[in-house]
Amino acid sequence: MKAGIERLARGTAVLGGLVLTLVVILACLSIFGRGLNTLGHSGFLPGGLGDALIASGVGPINGDFELVEAGVAFAIFAFLPICQLSGAHAVVDVFTSALPQAVQRWIAAFWECALSAAILLITWRLGVGMEGKIANGETTFMLQFPIWWSYAASFAAALVASIVALWCAYARLREAATGRVLMTDSGGL
């Protein structure tokens, strides 16, 4: 089961990375186009070069901020499962590092369960928000695509995060109870 959870988390992270890469490329192209458009309007270019640049249609990509917003939201949720699985969340263990290993394992299990509950709550509320966006038919301002599409992509990634979070909570509780290491980082231990 662990191998399947790892593949699921890694696959979601790769997909999130691809989307984030496309978002960065989109933003760079839009900024470059905006800069060229500004240069064409500046009067700095000789002869009719500025007018030719403007006439070419160069400019920012229409609705770029809407696509960036949707892509980044998805990427955040897509990276959450691998972060959860690898224990890459911030850990402050100044006081607990001196405690016995068994106590540290139970503390790690407690926080894993708390984080899993938070991820489940976020996933649930994201699903409720998506239902609301579907019901009211809200669209983005510039591109006019339904907002629920962004919610659906983020919700799908959040569902994967929930599955991984539940497995991680189970693994941490089992580690605490048995002392056997099931997760690579073992709660930062």
Side-chain angles (χ1 to χ4, degrees):
M1 179 150 183
K2 181 181 178 185
I5 293 290
E6 286 177 359
R7 278 194 303 278
L8 186 63
R10 289 184 195 284
T12 307
V14 167
L15 186 58
L18 290 172
V19 168
L20 195 56
T21 300
L22 292 174
V23 164
V24 168
I25 290 169
L26 171 76
C28 289
L29 289 174
S30 187
I31 292 166
F32 185 67
R34 189 181 318 272
L36 287 176
N37 186 278
T38 301
L39 181 63
H41 282 91
S42 70
F44 180 72
L45 296 175
L49 195 54
D51 293 333
L53 190 60
I54 294 167
S56 73
V58 72
I61 295 172
N62 205 18
D64 59 345
F65 60 93
E66 296 171 350
L67 295 171
V68 168
E69 182 180 26
V72 168
F74 169 76
I76 289 169
F77 284 106
F79 295 140
L80 194 54
I82 197 71
C83 189
Q84 179 82 6
L85 189 62
S86 63
H89 300 292
V91 176
V92 180
D93 59 356
V94 174
F95 301 110
T96 60
S97 61
L99 296 173
Q101 289 284 355
V103 174
Q104 289 183 45
R105 282 193 296 272
W106 280 107
I107 291 172
F110 169 79
W111 286 115
E112 195 74 51
C113 290
L115 185 55
S116 296
I119 290 171
L120 289 168
L121 176 66
I122 290 167
T123 302
W124 169 53
R125 296 310 302 165
L126 192 58
V128 170
M130 181 181 70
E131 288 175 352
K133 298 300 179 189
I134 291 171
N136 71 20
E138 189 176 347
T139 61
T140 62
F141 180 70
M142 298 292 288
L143 298 178
Q144 295 294 304
F145 70 79
I147 291 179
W148 73 265
W149 291 356
S150 305
Y151 274 75
S154 297
F155 181 68
L159 281 175
V160 173
S162 295
I163 292 166
V164 172
L166 288 171
W167 186 87
C168 289
Y170 161 77
R172 293 284 185 227
L173 286 169
R174 187 136 182 225
E175 283 180 349
T178 64
R180 200 175 107 215
V181 176
L182 298 174
M183 293 178 63
T184 309
D185 75 316
S186 192
L189 302 178

